[in-house]
C-alpha cells in the first residue's frame, strides 16, 4: 500500500505531500502522523503542501484534523507552501481552516516551530498562554 | 469523442469534445481531477480557474462515489459564440437527495465530510444545476466559462 513518508528531524516531524492524494491515502497519513507523534514524542509537525495543486474539503479536513490532534498530543503543526491559486479556491469553497497555522515557506514554518519550542522551554510553568494544559495543572504533572 | 452542434435557448452552442469517465471508487476521484485539469489546461483557463474547476470536480466526484454509490462524469468542451467553457455532469443512480435545500446548506453533511461539497462547488463555478429524485439518483451539472 502506498504511504506518504514522514521524516524525523530532532523533535520535529516533516511531511511533504508530493502526490495527488486519494482519500484513503490522506486518512492513512493522518493516522501515521498521530501514531508517530505519540511514538517519538515529537513536539512539532511541518507539512509541506507546495506540490499540491488542489485542496478540497476532504484534504482540508485532514489538515485541520492533524493540526487539532497534534495539539492534543502536545505538538504544534504548521502547514507551509500553499499555492496562491489553492488558497483562493479554498476560501471560495468556504474553508478558511481556522486554528491551522500556515507559513509561506519551509524556512518560516521551521522558524515558527522553533519559536514555539523556545517559548515553551523558556517560560516553563509560568507559561499561561495554554492555560488549558500548561497553566495551573503543570505543577502536578509527573515528569 | 463526439462533435455536434446543438441549439440551446435559441443560441448556437457547439459541443467540441465529450468524454465520459467512470466514478465508482476513490481512485476514480483522482482520475476525474486529472481529466478536468487536462481539459482546463487545453482550454487555457487561468491557473485559478483551473484550480476552482478541479476542486469543484473533486467535491462532486466524491459525492458521486460516497453518496451516490458510484456513477459517471461527463466532460464537455463547449463553444458559445466567442467564449469557450467546460461543462461537467456527474450522474449516479443512488438514493437521491430528499431535502435539497438542506443538502445545499453550508456545513450540513449526512456523511463524514465538512458539508462544503455541494455549496462549495456551486461557488466555484459559473453555472450549477442539480436534479435529484429519491430512489432514482442525482445529476449535477457545472459549467465554467473562460
Amino acid at each position: 500500500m502506498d504511504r506518504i513518508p514522514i521524516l524525523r528531524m530532532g523533535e520535529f516531524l516533516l511531511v511533504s505531500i508530493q502526490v495527488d492524494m486519494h482519500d484513503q491515502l490522506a486518512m492513512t497519513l493522518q493516522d501515521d502522523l498521530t501514531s508517530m507523534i505519540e511514538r517519538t514524542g515529537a513536539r512539532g509537525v511541518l507539512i509541506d503542501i507546495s506540490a499540491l495543486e488542489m485542496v478540497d474539503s476532504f484534504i482540508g479536513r485532514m489538515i485541520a484534523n492533524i493540526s487539532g490532534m497534534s495539539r492534543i498530543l502536545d505538538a504544534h503543526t504548521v502547514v507551509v507552501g500553499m499555492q496562491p491559486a489553492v488558497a483562493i479556491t479554498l476560501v471560495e469553497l468556504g474553508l478558511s481552516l481556522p486554528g491551522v497555522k500556515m507559513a509561506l515557506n519551509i524556512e518560516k514554518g521551521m522558524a515558527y516551530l522553533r519559536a514555539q519550542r523556545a517559548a515553551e522551554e523558556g517560560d516553563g510553568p509560568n507559561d499561561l498562554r495554554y492555560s488549558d494544559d500548561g497553566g495551573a495543572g503543570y505543577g502536578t504533572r509527573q515528569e | 469523442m463526439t462533435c455536434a452542434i446543438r441549439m440551446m435557448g435559441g443560441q448556437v452552442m457547439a459541443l467540441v469534445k465529450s468524454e465520459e469517465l467512470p466514478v465508482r471508487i476513490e481512485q476514480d476521484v483522482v482520475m476525474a481531477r486529472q481529466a478536468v485539469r487536462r481539459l482546463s489546461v487545453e482550454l487555457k483557463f487561468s491557473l485559478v480557474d483551473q484550480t476552482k474547476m478541479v476542486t469543484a470536480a473533486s467535491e462532486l466526484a466524491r459525492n458521486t462515489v460516497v453518496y451516490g454509490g458510484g456513477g459517471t462524469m461527463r466532460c464537455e468542451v463547449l463553444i458559445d459564440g466567442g467564449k469557450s467553457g467546460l461543462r461537467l455532469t456527474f450522474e449516479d443512480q443512488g438514493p437521491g437527495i430528499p431535502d435539497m435545500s438542506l443538502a445545499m446548506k453550508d456545513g450540513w453533511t449526512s456523511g463524514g465530510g465538512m458539508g462544503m461539497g455541494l455549496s462549495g462547488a456551486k461557488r466555484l463555478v459559473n453555472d450549477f444545476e442539480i436534479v435529484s429524485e429519491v430512489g432514482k439518483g442525482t445529476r449535477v451539472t457545472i459549467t465554467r466559462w473562460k
Side-chain angles (χ1 to χ4, degrees):
Chain A
M1 201 187 104
D2 45 349
R3 278 194 136 79
I4 292 169
I6 301 169
L7 309 176
R8 186 177 175 186
M9 194 177 92
E11 55 188 354
F12 302 136
L13 299 178
L14 309 179
V15 179
S16 184
I17 303 170
Q18 303 278 340
V19 292
D20 196 349
M21 286 191 292
H22 55 82
D23 293 357
Q24 188 53 49
L25 191 56
M27 292 300 291
T28 306
L29 174 62
Q30 187 178 305
D31 293 348
D32 286 354
L33 251 180
T34 42
S35 55
M36 189 102 161
I37 294 169
E38 197 258 345
R39 201 166 62 241
T40 61
R43 303 302 301 274
V45 178
L46 182 139
I47 304 173
D48 166 38
I49 59 164
S50 58
L52 276 192
E53 293 183 326
M54 179 227 63
V55 173
D56 64 5
S57 64
F58 194 91
I59 296 172
R61 183 164 63 117
M62 179 212 59
I63 290 172
N65 282 354
I66 288 175
S67 180
M69 288 171 186
S70 70
R71 197 63 214 103
I72 291 167
L73 294 169
D74 202 17
H76 291 275
T77 298
V78 61
V79 177
V80 306
M82 183 182 285
Q83 295 179 13
V86 173
I88 291 167
T89 302
L90 253 189
V91 172
E92 213 148 310
L93 185 64
L95 292 184
S96 49
L97 298 178
V100 180
K101 176 64 190 172
M102 299 282 176
L104 218 48
N105 54 40
I106 293 185
E107 271 174 14
K108 289 188 171 148
M110 284 306 292
Y112 167 79
L113 289 180
R114 291 202 182 101
Q116 291 297 314
R117 285 297 292 140
E120 284 172 1
E121 297 272 287
D123 297 348
N126 296 323
D127 182 5
L128 293 175
R129 279 173 303 167
Y130 301 105
S131 53
D132 55 337
D133 65 356
Y138 193 91
T140 60
R141 202 187 274 176
Q142 303 219 329
E143 296 287 343
Chain B
M1 204 206 270
T2 56
C3 287
I5 304 282
R6 275 189 198 165
M7 292 291 284
M8 289 190 92
Q11 272 186 310
V12 177
M13 193 187 292
L15 177 63
V16 180
K17 194 175 191 179
S18 175
E19 299 175 11
E20 195 169 284
L21 270 81
V23 184
R24 310 218 152 266
I25 55 171
E26 266 182 26
Q27 273 80 0
D28 291 341
V29 177
V30 177
M31 302 302 285
R33 290 204 287 252
Q34 289 170 355
V36 173
R37 172 75 65 178
R38 177 171 47 78
L39 290 167
S40 304
V41 170
E42 272 177 31
L43 276 164
K44 297 193 168 66
F45 277 11
S46 72
L47 185 56
V48 171
D49 285 356
Q50 288 174 31
T51 309
K52 284 181 180 174
M53 200 56 176
V54 171
T55 307
S58 184
E59 298 292 347
L60 298 175
R62 180 176 300 104
N63 282 356
T64 301
V65 174
V66 175
Y67 303 110
T72 54
M73 175 181 82
R74 192 166 68 246
C75 311
E76 292 165 305
V77 175
L78 308 169
I79 291 177
D80 185 8
K83 54 182 189 172
S84 52
L86 181 58
R87 182 166 67 196
L88 306 175
T89 306
F90 298 84
E91 202 159 8
D92 67 62
Q93 280 76 48
I97 301 170
D99 188 341
M100 188 57 72
S101 57
L102 193 59
M104 288 304 299
K105 226 173 170 174
D106 262 353
W108 190 85
T109 176
S110 66
M114 289 183 105
M116 286 299 177
L118 278 180
S119 54
K122 188 180 177 185
R123 281 193 291 270
L124 295 176
V125 297
N126 298 124
D127 305 324
F128 181 96
E129 190 194 61
I130 182 163
V131 181
S132 186
E133 202 178 327
V134 173
K136 292 256 174 81
T138 303
R139 187 179 71 234
V140 184
T141 307
I142 57 174
T143 313
R144 185 143 197 120
W145 296 100
K146 196 187 165 216

